Structure formats: C-alpha cells, structure tokens
Amino acid sequence: ENGMNRKTLTELGGKYAFHSFSFTGLCVFSSGLLVGTLDAVLDSTSKVAPFRILHQTPDSQVYWSIACGASREEITEHWDWLEHNVMNILSVFDSNEDITSFVQGKIRGLIAEEGKGSFTKEEDPEKFREGLMKFERCFGLPEQEKLVTYYSCSYWKGRVPCQGWLYLSTNFLSFYSFLLGAEIKLIISWDAISKLEKTSNVILTESIHVCSHGEDHYFSMFLHINETFLLMEQLANYAVRRLFDKETFENDLVLHDPLQITKRGLENRAHSQQFSAFFRLPKEETLKEVHECFLWVPFTHYNAHGKMCISENYICFASQDGSLCSVIIPLREADPANRGVNISTKGKRAFRFTEVRDFEQLVTKLRIKCNATSSPQHINTEVAGSSASDSPKDFDEVPSKIDLRDNSKTVSTEALMTVYHPQDAENLDPKMLKEKMKEQSWNILFFERGHGVSMFRTKKTRDLVVRGIPEALRGELWLLFSGAVNDMASSPGYYTELVEKSLGTCTLATDEIERDLRRSLPEHPAFQSDTGISALRRVLTAYAYRNPQIGYCQAMNILTSVLLLYAKEEEAFWLLVAVCERMLPDYFNRRIIGALVDQAVFEELIRVHLPQLTDHMMGMTFFSSVSLSWFLTLFISVLPIESAVNVVDCFFYDGIKAILQLGLAVLEYNMDKLLTCKDDAEAVTVLNRFFDSVTNKDSPLPPAVQQGSNLTDAKGDHPKVDITDLIRESNERLLINFFLILFQLRVVSQDVKFSPNDLDELYELFKREHFLSCYWNVNSPVLEHHDASLPYLEQYRIDCQQFRVLCHLLSPWSHCANRDSIALWTFRLMDENCHGLINFKQFSCVLDTMYNGSFTDKLKFLFKLHIPPAFTEVESLSPSKGVDLSKEELMHFSQLNVLVCSLRLFIYFCQIGKGKVDIQAYLKQWQDELLKKEENIKDLPRMNQSQFIQFSKTLYNLFHGDPEEELLYRAIAVVTSLLSLPATTEVSAESPQKGQKEGSSEQTEGNGAQSLRKNHEWSFAFEQILASLLNEPAFVRFFEKPHEIKTRIESAKNLQLKARTRV
C-alpha cells in the first residue's frame, strides 16, 4: 500500500515474509525519512534495516521480526539457515500457535546463547545487544572491538545540535546520528585525543569537550554526564597505558584482555583509584562500599556530613560540607564495633558514625573484617586521646616497629639529621624557640585531633603544613601523609630481607648508583661520611632490586638523600616506594612519561594563568626544559636544602598539585624580569638567581648546612624571598583545576622533501597504523619488540601487512595490478636489519622517492625492487585472487629475508668455528656495511633475465590507465628489444666456434660449462637500462609527472580503518 514491494518466498505452517523495501513517490519518501529520524532520536536502532524476515501466524495481524540484514546476501544467509534448522521441524506441530511459540523460543534461545559470555555482566543484556548490533553495523570495526557502553546525547556541529548515540569501546569513541536525511558518523581513537574535559558556557550548560588532531568536538545533553566522563577518562587512560606502559598492563589481568572490560568494571576501577589516591592508601586497595553518613567531630562539637568508604583493610571518611575533614581507620587498629556504628581504635579513640543506611548489616560486616585483620602480634603505634588523661607524649613512649624487629647490623635505625644535628635543649636561640613553638602547635593539634594514622585531617592541618613541619616531626608526618606508614605496617621485615638479598648484586642499576652516591647533597656533612653514603646505597639498591622495571633513575639519589635526613632508613625506603609507585607514577623510568604528561599540564596552566608570558616566550619548549628538574626532584635540585624541605612537606600532603602551584608562583613572581628577556639563556639566569635568593628564615639548621644564607649574602642586590611566603601565596592566589591532557610528538626529518605539514600528517597515519596493530592483538610483535630507549622517530614500527595497507592508501602506484608484490619488495628492501619491521624514517624516505624523486631516483628505486635482497618470486596460492596476496602469504614472503639473514649469520659463525674466515676481515666488512655511504649507481648489482622480465611487467602495469598508455607500451617494447639484442649478440660471440677442438683437461671442460650457463643467463647493468629509457620522452614525462600527496593523505584518513579491515 505504501509503495512497498513485498516478496513472500515460502510458507510452512506459519507465514514467513521476506521484505525488500523500495520507497517510491515523494509522500512515501518523506514518511520513511521521518520514521528514520524518529528511530535515531527515540530508539537505538537508527535507520531501519533494508531487509527483514518476518513470522506471521495465519489470521493474525502481528508480525514477529526473525532476522534483519543490511544486504540481500546477508538476509539470504539467514533465510538458508532457517530452512535447514527451523522449517524442517515445524511439521511436527499441530497448531499454528505452537509453531509461533516454538519459533519465538528458538530465536530467543539463540540470542541468549550468543550473548551468554558477552552480555551477562550488563544491566540490560537485551538492550545492550541491540546497541551492539547497531554499533557493528554503523561503524564496520573489526569483531574484536569490544563495546563497553553507549549513551544518547547531542553532538554540536557548529551551532547546530545533532541528536544521536555516543558509543564508547575499548579503542574508539564513536558517534552516529541520522537526522532528516543527514547522516553523521564520527570515529576517534582514544590515543589520538589530546584534551578531554567537562566544560560549560552560555549555550552549553554542561558538555564534554574532546580535542583530537586540533579539531574540537562537543557532546551534551547527557542524562548522567559525570558517569559518562568518568568512563571516557578510564578508557583514554586504558588506551595510553596499553601503548606506553606495557609491563604494568600485562600484569593487570582485566586490562590485558579487552573482552573482560565492562562499564561496571571501569566504574569500580575508577572509584577505587580515586579512593586510593585521595586517602594515600596502597594501590591494591579496592573500594567495596560507600555510605553517606555523619561523623561526630569532638573538637568542634558538630556532626560533619560526608561519605564513609570501606575497602578490604580500611575505613575512611571524607566530609562534603566544606570543612575539609578526613579520617583513615586501618582495620588492623580497629576493635569490633559495639552498638550502632561506633568504631574504636586500639589507641582508645572512638569514631561515631550516624544516619547510616542499613547500619546493622554494616556493623556485622565490619565486625567480621576487624576480627579477620586483627593480629595478636601487632604493636600499637597510635595513642591519641579523646580525654584529658591522654597526651601526645604517649606516642613517643611506645616502641616503634623498626626498633623491635630490625636486628640487622647493616640497617640504620636513626634519621641522619638526629645524628649530625642534634637539638640542644639548653641553648635555645630565637630560631630554636620558634621551632619549639611549631612543635607545640602540632602537639595541640595531636591532642585535639588525634595522633597517627587515624587522626582527623582538617584545614588547620594543612595550614600547619604550609608553615613548615618541625624538624623533629618531619619524618613521622611524611610517613603519615604519604601513606607509606600503611605499606610499612603491612610488610614487616620486608626491607631487611630486601637489603640482605640485594647486597653484593652487580647490575647496570648498581653501577649507576655507585657513580651518583657522591653527588647526592655533597655539601651536607651526613653525606661526607660513610654512614650517610652506606645508608643511601642500601636504600637505592634495595629499591632497584624490588622494582627492576624502574631500577634506578637519576634524581632518585637526590630525593632519597633528603628522605634519609629526616626518616629512619626503612622509613626512607617506604617513602621512596610511595613517591615512585603512587604519588609520581611513571616519573622515574627511561621515558619519564609521567613527568612529561605533568609538564604538558603545567604548560596548559601557564597558558591559562599567565597568557602574557606565553605570548612573550612564543614557544613552550623553554618551560618544559626548565621545569623538568622541578618535577623530578621536587625543587630540591634548585632550592637551598632548608627551603626545599618545606616544598617536600607540601608535596607529601597535597601531592603533585603542590609542585604545579609552586611552579606557577615562581613564574608569576619573576614575570616582569622574564618579559624583558631576549632569549632562553637570559630567562634561565633570572630563574637561577631567584632560586638562590629563596631563604627559610625559620630554619633551625646551623649556618654550615644552610645553602641559601651564604649565596644570598654574596648577591645582596637580589631581594630575599622567604619560602613560607612563596608557598602561602601559591596556595592562596592560584586555584588549579586538573584535566586530562596527553601530548602528541611531532617529527620533522631533513632527509625528505615533504613539507612539515605533510610529514606531520604522514606520521599520524603511520603512528595510527602502529597503534591499530596493538588494539586487537594482545601478543602483537610490534609490542613484543618495542624498545622504549629508541628515539620516538624509531619507536613506532609496522610489519609488512601494515605497510601494504598504507601503500594501498598513499602510494602513487597503488593502481598497479601487482601492487601487493611491489609493497612486498619495497618492504624487503627497507628491512635492512631483517627484523620484519620498519620505522617511520624508512617509510617516509620511500614515499619521498615515489613523489619527489627525480627520473633517475625513481628508476633506480624500481631497479632495486627487482634484484636481491628485495626481489623474490611471488605467486599467490589462490588462483582466484590473481596477483593479490593473502595476509599469510604476504607475511611468509616478507619473512624469507629474515631467514636468509639468519642463515648467512649461521654460516659465517660456522666458518669462523672451522677457521675458514678471518675475524678481523669479517668485522671490517661488517663495519663497512654499517657506514652509510652515498650509493653509486655503478655499485648496483646486475639484473638477470628473469628479473628483467618481471621489471618489464611492472612497468607495463604502472602505465595502465595513463593518457599516454599507447606511447609508453610502444616505448617499452622498443627498449626491451634494444636491450635484449646486444645480449643475444654477446651470447653468439662468446659461444664456441664450429670445428674448434675441445680441451682435454677437466679444467677446460668446467670453464666451458660455466661459460655456457652464464651465456644463457645474460644480465644488464643499471646504466644500460637508464641510458635506453632516457631516449624515450614518454618514459621521462611519466616519471617526472608531479603527484600531489595532500589528496592522498586526506583520503587515507577516512579510509585507513576500512582499508585495514578489508585487507
């Protein structure tokens, strides 16, 4: 009726109809368009599938959708399956209703079986399966791509919102919309995102901003925008970690298998990470429960509103009413709950939680947890009073765990500062009096808020940290605020065992440690003696033994030496663990990825807060080069030691935010002087003089140890700046909002003639192809052979299969019939090391030859493709495919070069073992091969008969479709005839004359046979072919014809993923 052609294929019991939709007429087209639009907005199926199979019970107006397909071939496959598996069974039923019930049950059973492993973890399996089908149909990604979740939202194209669906999968962010005939399809890989943030403006109250390759994308109208943004952050982090943190990623069983990633799992993971980071708990802690409640705060006499968070080993509370109150209760210190939700620690402090939902069940769970974690061997480290009878002195009277369990003579049990600078209680100068006043302020805080892990942490705690922690309490509070006290309590005796195992080991890390020991605070008396040096050696060696992936990195010695001044040796070790593995992850390794990412955040903050400084400096390289040492050493390397320890105080309390705030404060303080600098060197001098002028007027350290006092006296023209004032200003004036920002590395090579923009686009395509190989193949050879120590230009590598994909997309000769063979030979030519992988520099040089090379360069390139080691006989195993090669065939032929190289190396070493090869001559030959001299055309090997025939075939294929095709074919025929004529003449001239006597000796017969074989295998030099082709103008015009790569690059951007899937 509605212009719809219906074709009924068959009927058996029930009625099956095969629908093929073709709309005719303007009215019908409009209604179909409206239906498609409403489906896109209100339903997740978007456009209706063009082919469907329906089941109808006779005398019923209800049609049941059995199958749908995007093409006639697909729906026909479904129909054939139904004929063989369903229709032959329907004859056993007596009624039409039974047939309908059976068909419904059969189809639903198939759906349930298909989604048994994939959808059982989803909240609504049927709805998720429907979204998955649409995701696969719309974007055509490989089957291995795992859809995590999807949301309805609006995508802003200019000022027009387009309603559609946002799909979040393991490797891509995808969006699809079909509105009034306009289809929008967007696919962005997570590793290509440079900025991800939540924004709001006049038009968009709340939206998610995604920046990729310089393009901004805005998504809004989410039902739960916070949940969506959280998942997007997790997936972006997942993609980057998989590519850059291979070792950690492989140890994570969930992330290592993309099929195990689910929306619920990512949400739980994100909440656990935030929980551990906020409370500075071990990263193994998993958040189990969250309860909204009130906590009674005794020193302010009011109930703080917040959330109680429970993990396997901790009960934590954080206020949400602006009071900045937080509490950490280790279950090892907690007694079983009594009545209500009252938790008391073994230090006699009670915590009262009220208005907790289902508190009876919670109390039961907590009582079980407390009984499971309590240990009779535990030694109390917390005595904090809630009554007047308790005093902070009790804390010091309790023996520490280190003193009782550490009987090893090699481990120091005292902080170096207490040994080399003991406080004189009798002679108190003004600075020491002020230091005692600081200690008294902290004692009052301990009396009111508790002492130890379970103390109340409030705004007053932070204010005291900003003023500087007293020397006597610094090590203890560093241990507390960093969370290292929890690591140490959970691993008693671990450090002593580690020291015993690591002593005497000899590795690259220990060699580097020995080299840097004397460079660690050499001006401090503690490190001018064997006591301090030995303690530093033990801590660094033990950590290198514990974490061989990091081992030892420069800057760790500077940080550890400061830790040893204020903490006992074992405490310093656990502080180092907290810094390297939790607070500054990925800082101390070969690639310092964490430091580079934080530097990118720092640069963005400079753009926001100090735009005039950004405009003056033009580029941001100055800030990144100057600030790297700030991040790696926490300002210890640039500030005097008495000032730097105050920065470390703030770092252990606030984390990396304290370093970013201080960095901005330093630049703002020197703004006027930096704006007058003419170059980077002058700006560096300004900052160095500023750091020399920073002092700590309250430091009780003796003048011999202080670095700032001597320097500033010599440079009196620079005003002194107190570190406490600088930190306070950085906290009060600079409010920092963090967002995810990832950096993209740009590569510009001087070996090619491409423009910087074209080269940058090529690099993005090459890098994306490298990443695509890592998406769906857990054991990718690219990941297995990844070497992070190489320059970034050489870190990204692709195999022959990936190179073929890029060749099809970018090569000006991709129309050639034997393009697969050309891609294979080109890859073998570039794979000089026989690794089966090539880097971007090799790839760009080949493309540059194809596009920008001269006539001689292009011809020489083609010549080299048809001689060893590049050339190999290629023949597809599937005649139906013609000259196209399967992936298996392509990889087989590409690996032949690797096998030949290995065989040659084996023969060489075998001959060396037999004494047949001069080692010095072999090494000299090897060295000459490594020296990359300019290649002379006279040095090229000669081309034999079979290679020349294949060379001619390739030229024929290249000329196909050219406007001068006839002229080119004629020219190549002439050249082939001319080249083969002298060879034939030479064969005839060299053949034995008729009647000539045969030699009698065996040597003469051998020479004759060898000469005969040579005559049949005639060959050409490159100069002969070049000279012949230069005489043909059509040849010269063809190879000198310019090709534009920009259009190829733009096309490749859109087709790269599809081309890879197709191949």
Side-chain angles (χ1 to χ4, degrees):
E1 296 178 338
N2 298 324
M4 187 185 304
N5 298 326
R6 175 181 297 173
K7 180 181 178 183
T8 303
L9 295 184
T10 183
E11 291 183 10
L12 182 58
K15 180 178 180 181
Y16 288 87
F18 177 57
H19 284 203
S20 173
F21 297 98
S22 59
F23 298 100
T24 57
L26 180 61
C27 179
V28 174
F29 177 78
S30 299
S31 63
L33 188 64
L34 180 60
V35 170
T37 300
L38 291 175
D39 281 338
V41 176
L42 302 176
D43 190 50
S44 63
T45 55
S46 190
K47 293 188 293 185
V48 178
F51 297 94
R52 291 187 298 176
I53 297 176
L54 306 179
H55 173 84
Q56 181 198 24
T57 305
D59 303 327
S60 173
Q61 299 300 318
V62 177
Y63 286 82
W64 295 93
S65 179
I66 301 300
C68 61
S71 63
R72 182 176 292 273
E73 291 76 14
E74 182 182 356
I75 202 68
T76 303
E77 290 181 6
H78 294 324
W79 184 266
D80 293 339
W81 189 91
L82 286 172
E83 284 186 324
H84 289 91
N85 296 278
V86 177
M87 293 184 181
N88 55 1
I89 306 175
L90 300 184
S91 58
V92 302
F93 295 100
D94 297 330
S95 64
N96 294 328
E97 289 74 15
D98 293 341
I99 292 176
T100 301
S101 300
F102 170 77
V103 172
Q104 290 178 359
K106 182 72 173 178
I107 300 303
R108 287 173 178 169
L110 289 173
I111 295 174
E113 185 66 26
E114 180 186 350
K116 185 176 182 180
S118 305
F119 315 128
T120 52
K121 297 180 181 180
E122 305 299 331
E123 297 177 357
D124 190 344
E126 292 187 6
K127 188 176 180 181
F128 184 82
R129 183 183 183 278
E130 182 184 354
L132 177 62
M133 291 177 61
K134 183 201 166 185
F135 171 73
E136 294 174 345
R137 183 171 64 249
C138 291
F139 302 104
L141 296 173
E143 296 180 358
Q144 299 93 329
E145 183 66 12
K146 173 73 163 57
L147 177 65
V148 177
T149 188
Y150 61 97
Y151 298 96
S152 173
C153 68
S154 292
Y155 171 64
W156 289 79
K157 197 170 184 180
R159 296 189 176 182
V160 179
C162 302
Q163 185 70 21
W165 294 88
L166 179 70
Y167 295 87
L168 307 181
S169 59
T170 51
N171 298 296
F172 296 96
L173 178 154
S174 310
F175 177 82
Y176 183 83
S177 173
F178 180 74
L179 192 64
L180 298 177
E183 185 179 49
I184 297 176
K185 189 181 295 185
L186 182 69
I187 302 177
I188 303 174
S189 59
W190 291 113
D191 52 72
I193 294 178
S194 58
K195 183 180 291 187
L196 179 65
E197 60 180 347
K198 285 192 295 185
T199 60
S200 61
N201 52 40
V202 178
I203 300 176
L204 303 175
T205 54
E206 271 192 317
S207 64
I208 295 177
H209 173 213
V210 176
C211 181
S212 173
H213 298 299
E215 297 183 8
D216 294 316
H217 307 277
Y218 291 90
F219 302 91
S220 65
M221 303 294 289
F222 290 97
L223 187 61
H224 303 289
I225 189 170
N226 292 329
E227 172 191 307
T228 308
F229 183 74
L230 181 69
L231 286 175
M232 293 171 74
E233 273 190 325
Q234 285 290 300
L235 287 169
N237 183 44
Y238 157 82
V240 174
R241 281 187 58 196
R242 183 171 185 182
L243 298 171
F244 290 104
D245 193 9
K246 179 174 175 285
E247 294 83 3
T248 305
F249 190 90
E250 288 180 345
N251 295 331
D252 195 318
L253 298 178
V254 176
L255 294 183
H256 188 55
D257 184 5
L259 295 178
Q260 300 298 322
I261 298 176
T262 62
K263 171 187 172 184
R264 187 181 306 171
L266 286 176
E267 288 176 343
N268 294 340
R269 189 183 191 88
H271 293 149
S272 296
Q273 290 174 351
Q274 293 175 352
F275 166 72
S276 300
F278 183 83
F279 294 105
R280 304 283 169 77
L281 300 177
K283 57 184 179 181
E284 295 80 12
E285 289 297 314
T286 303
L287 182 63
K288 298 297 184 182
E289 298 180 52
V290 178
H291 299 273
E292 192 167 350
C293 63
F294 288 88
L295 173 64
W296 173 250
V297 184
F299 50 88
T300 57
H301 303 288
Y302 83 104
N303 282 308
H305 175 251
K307 291 186 177 180
M308 178 170 57
C309 306
I310 303 173
S311 66
E312 296 93 336
N313 301 299
Y314 297 89
I315 303 170
C316 304
F317 175 85
S319 65
Q320 295 181 298
D321 54 6
S323 61
L324 302 178
C325 175
S326 62
V327 171
I328 302 172
I329 308 173
L331 290 178
R332 64 178 184 271
E333 296 293 335
D335 286 329
N338 299 318
R339 64 175 184 271
V341 188
N342 295 335
I343 301 173
S344 61
T345 65
K346 295 178 182 178
K348 306 305 180 184
R349 172 167 290 278
F351 299 90
R352 177 185 172 191
F353 298 92
T354 57
E355 299 190 24
V356 183
R357 182 177 298 179
D358 300 329
F359 74 92
E360 293 181 352
Q361 297 179 6
L362 179 60
V363 168
T364 303
K365 293 179 182 178
L366 291 180
R367 185 177 288 112
I368 295 174
K369 282 180 175 288
C370 291
N371 291 330
T373 56
S374 61
S375 173
Q377 289 81 21
H378 176 76
I379 299 173
N380 181 24
T381 60
E382 299 176 16
V383 178
S386 57
S387 63
S389 60
D390 299 319
S391 69
K393 295 180 181 179
D394 294 278
F395 181 86
D396 298 326
E397 293 174 0
V398 179
S400 67
K401 285 187 270 189
I402 301 174
D403 296 332
L404 286 182
R405 71 166 177 270
D406 192 1
N407 298 320
S408 175
K409 296 180 180 180
T410 61
V411 177
S412 174
T413 58
E414 294 294 335
L416 295 179
M417 193 65 74
T418 61
V419 176
Y420 288 89
H421 305 291
Q423 295 184 4
D424 190 354
E426 298 180 358
N427 302 321
L428 296 178
D429 56 10
K431 288 187 176 180
M432 284 303 301
L433 286 174
K434 197 164 188 178
E435 184 76 2
K436 290 298 180 182
M437 291 175 63
K438 278 187 181 181
E439 291 184 23
Q440 187 61 27
S441 298
W442 279 95
N443 289 334
I444 295 172
L445 183 79
F446 294 151
F447 179 79
E448 294 177 349
R449 292 159 171 78
H451 195 174
V453 180
S454 301
M455 67 180 294
F456 283 89
R457 307 181 194 195
T458 61
K459 188 176 182 298
K460 185 176 181 180
T461 311
R462 193 174 188 278
D463 293 339
L464 290 179
V465 171
V466 170
R467 289 171 52 189
I469 298 175
E471 299 279 314
L473 299 175
R474 182 162 274 138
E476 173 193 333
L477 293 179
W478 282 358
L479 205 67
L480 181 66
F481 295 144
S482 66
V485 63
N486 298 312
D487 295 325
M488 191 169 67
S490 60
S491 304
Y494 175 79
Y495 175 68
T496 305
E497 296 174 3
L498 211 58
V499 169
E500 293 175 355
K501 292 179 181 178
S502 61
L503 281 180
T505 58
C506 184
T507 63
L508 179 62
T510 57
D511 292 341
E512 294 177 349
I513 290 171
E514 290 297 328
R515 187 175 62 247
D516 290 344
L517 286 177
R518 303 289 175 179
R519 306 174 187 174
S520 309
L521 297 184
E523 67 283 347
H524 199 284
F527 297 99
Q528 295 172 359
S529 67
D530 186 63
T531 303
I533 294 295
S534 298
L536 181 60
R537 178 188 292 112
R538 287 192 294 270
V539 173
L540 292 176
T541 305
Y543 185 79
Y545 188 87
R546 163 190 166 88
N547 193 343
Q549 296 175 2
I550 293 179
Y552 170 76
C553 177
Q554 284 187 341
M556 290 174 64
N557 60 321
I558 299 175
L559 176 61
T560 307
S561 59
V562 173
L563 299 179
L564 283 168
L565 289 178
Y566 295 97
K568 300 173 184 179
E569 189 173 319
E570 183 178 9
E571 295 173 343
F573 169 79
W574 287 112
L575 284 169
L576 183 63
V577 170
V579 172
C580 295
E581 299 178 10
R582 281 205 314 273
M583 303 186 71
L584 297 178
D586 297 322
Y587 263 60
F588 301 96
N589 54 31
R590 290 180 296 178
R591 290 170 291 173
I592 58 174
I593 291 291
L596 293 176
V597 171
D598 283 343
Q599 276 189 303
V601 175
F602 185 57
E603 291 173 6
E604 185 66 24
L605 292 170
I606 295 173
R607 291 189 185 97
V608 174
H609 293 279
L610 308 172
Q612 62 274 36
L613 190 59
T614 305
D615 297 338
H616 177 71
M617 292 297 182
M618 299 301 291
M620 303 298 287
T621 56
F622 164 74
F623 300 111
S624 59
S625 60
V626 169
S627 63
L628 182 60
S629 63
W630 303 355
F631 288 95
L632 288 175
T633 65
L634 308 180
F635 283 92
I636 297 172
S637 62
V638 293
L639 285 174
I641 183 63
E642 66 274 11
S643 301
V645 291
N646 283 35
V647 179
V648 180
D649 294 342
C650 297
F651 167 75
F652 279 126
Y653 193 84
D654 283 331
I656 190 61
K657 181 176 71 172
I659 306 301
L660 293 170
Q661 287 177 330
L662 183 59
L664 287 176
V666 168
L667 294 178
E668 186 178 25
Y669 194 93
N670 295 275
M671 174 80 72
D672 296 337
K673 293 181 179 179
L674 290 174
L675 290 177
T676 60
C677 294
K678 298 179 181 179
D679 54 31
D680 291 353
E682 188 177 351
V684 170
T685 303
V686 169
L687 291 177
N688 286 339
R689 289 180 178 175
F690 169 77
F691 287 130
D692 291 341
S693 67
V694 176
T695 62
N696 188 351
K697 61 184 180 181
D698 298 333
S699 175
L701 294 179
V705 176
Q706 294 192 28
Q707 302 170 3
S709 58
N710 299 329
L711 292 171
T712 50
D713 291 342
K715 302 176 182 178
D717 55 328
H718 298 284
K720 296 182 180 181
V721 181
D722 186 68
I723 186 63
T724 306
D725 297 335
L726 188 63
I727 293 176
R728 185 180 292 112
E729 289 179 7
S730 70
N731 280 272
E732 293 175 354
R733 299 172 60 183
L734 299 173
L735 300 177
I736 297 179
N737 295 320
F738 291 95
F739 53 86
L740 175 67
I741 177 168
L742 304 174
F743 58 91
Q744 296 292 335
L745 298 172
R746 297 292 180 252
V747 178
V748 178
S749 174
Q750 299 178 355
D751 298 334
V752 296
K753 299 176 183 178
F754 289 125
S755 67
N757 290 334
D758 291 341
L759 198 62
D760 191 46
E761 296 288 353
L762 285 174
Y763 183 67
E764 291 297 326
L765 289 171
F766 185 89
K767 186 172 67 172
R768 189 185 187 196
E769 191 64 35
H770 165 90
F771 285 165
L772 287 172
S773 70
C774 308
Y775 284 163
W776 305 292
N777 187 2
V778 176
N779 299 318
S780 169
V782 176
L783 283 176
E784 292 177 359
H785 296 92
H786 182 73
D787 186 359
S789 63
L790 293 174
Y792 278 97
L793 182 67
E794 302 176 15
Q795 279 196 24
Y796 301 116
R797 297 187 291 178
I798 58 176
D799 59 22
C800 191
Q801 163 69 8
Q802 298 167 281
F803 177 73
R804 173 170 64 169
V805 173
L806 292 179
C807 272
H808 289 184
L809 295 172
L810 296 170
S811 172
W813 302 336
S814 59
H815 64 279
C816 186
N818 64 333
R819 60 180 184 174
D820 280 1
S821 300
I822 292 179
L824 170 65
W825 298 331
T826 305
F827 182 86
R828 286 167 58 91
L829 179 65
M830 290 184 292
D831 186 18
E832 298 175 353
N833 297 325
C834 303
H835 290 162
L837 298 169
I838 62 170
N839 58 39
F840 175 70
K841 186 175 182 179
Q842 296 167 319
F843 173 75
S844 60
C845 288
V846 165
L847 276 186
D848 184 66
T849 301
M850 294 180 180
Y851 279 93
N852 303 317
S854 62
F855 172 77
T856 304
D857 292 335
K858 294 179 181 177
L859 194 64
K860 182 172 68 173
F861 173 69
L862 287 171
F863 182 87
K864 291 168 69 175
L865 292 185
H866 293 81
I867 58 176
F871 181 75
T872 183
E873 293 290 344
V874 176
E875 184 177 354
S876 176
L877 301 177
S878 303
S880 60
K881 292 185 177 181
V883 293
D884 292 339
L885 300 175
S886 67
K887 178 180 178 181
E888 291 75 17
E889 293 168 345
L890 189 75
M891 298 304 293
H892 166 72
F893 288 124
S894 68
Q895 291 298 321
L896 288 179
N897 205 21
V898 178
L899 297 175
V900 170
C901 290
S902 302
L903 182 60
R904 287 175 181 171
L905 190 63
F906 174 75
I907 293 173
Y908 266 121
F909 281 109
C910 288
Q911 291 175 340
I912 289 174
K914 296 177 181 179
K916 295 183 179 180
V917 173
D918 184 1
I919 297 179
Q920 296 298 327
Y922 173 68
L923 292 177
K924 185 178 185 306
Q925 179 186 352
W926 196 357
Q927 184 179 12
D928 293 339
E929 290 176 358
L930 293 177
L931 293 175
K932 297 184 178 179
K933 298 178 181 178
E934 186 175 354
E935 189 179 41
N936 193 324
I937 60 175
K938 294 182 180 180
D939 298 332
L940 291 174
R942 296 175 68 87
M943 180 180 285
N944 64 29
Q945 180 181 357
S946 61
Q947 294 163 359
F948 179 74
I949 293 173
Q950 185 60 56
F951 176 74
S952 303
K953 289 180 180 179
T954 300
L955 291 179
Y956 271 110
N957 290 327
L958 285 179
F959 301 151
H960 180 69
D962 191 86
E964 295 184 334
E965 183 177 358
E966 290 295 330
L967 287 176
L968 290 167
Y969 284 164
R970 205 171 298 149
I972 196 172
V974 172
V975 170
T976 305
S977 301
L978 289 175
L979 287 173
S980 59
L981 184 60
T984 307
T985 305
E986 184 181 356
V987 171
S988 302
E990 292 181 359
S991 61
Q993 294 182 1
K994 193 173 183 180
Q996 184 176 356
K997 295 182 179 181
E998 298 180 0
S1000 58
S1001 66
E1002 296 180 1
Q1003 182 178 0
T1004 306
E1005 291 178 1
N1007 292 340
Q1010 186 177 0
S1011 176
L1012 187 62
R1013 286 194 298 269
K1014 289 183 178 179
N1015 292 338
H1016 287 292
E1017 290 293 334
W1018 44 264
S1019 60
F1020 300 109
F1022 175 71
E1023 302 98 297
Q1024 294 175 271
I1025 298 177
L1026 177 62
S1028 301
L1029 293 179
L1030 282 173
N1031 292 325
E1032 299 295 333
F1035 268 110
V1036 179
R1037 286 195 300 271
F1038 176 82
F1039 283 107
E1040 290 187 347
K1041 186 187 304 180
H1043 295 279
E1044 183 61 46
I1045 196 173
K1046 289 185 182 295
T1047 54
R1048 284 275 185 176
I1049 291 175
E1050 291 301 322
S1051 175
K1053 288 181 182 178
N1054 301 322
L1055 299 176
Q1056 185 176 15
L1057 193 58
K1058 294 181 180 179
R1060 180 183 176 86
T1061 306
R1062 183 170 61 252
V1063 171

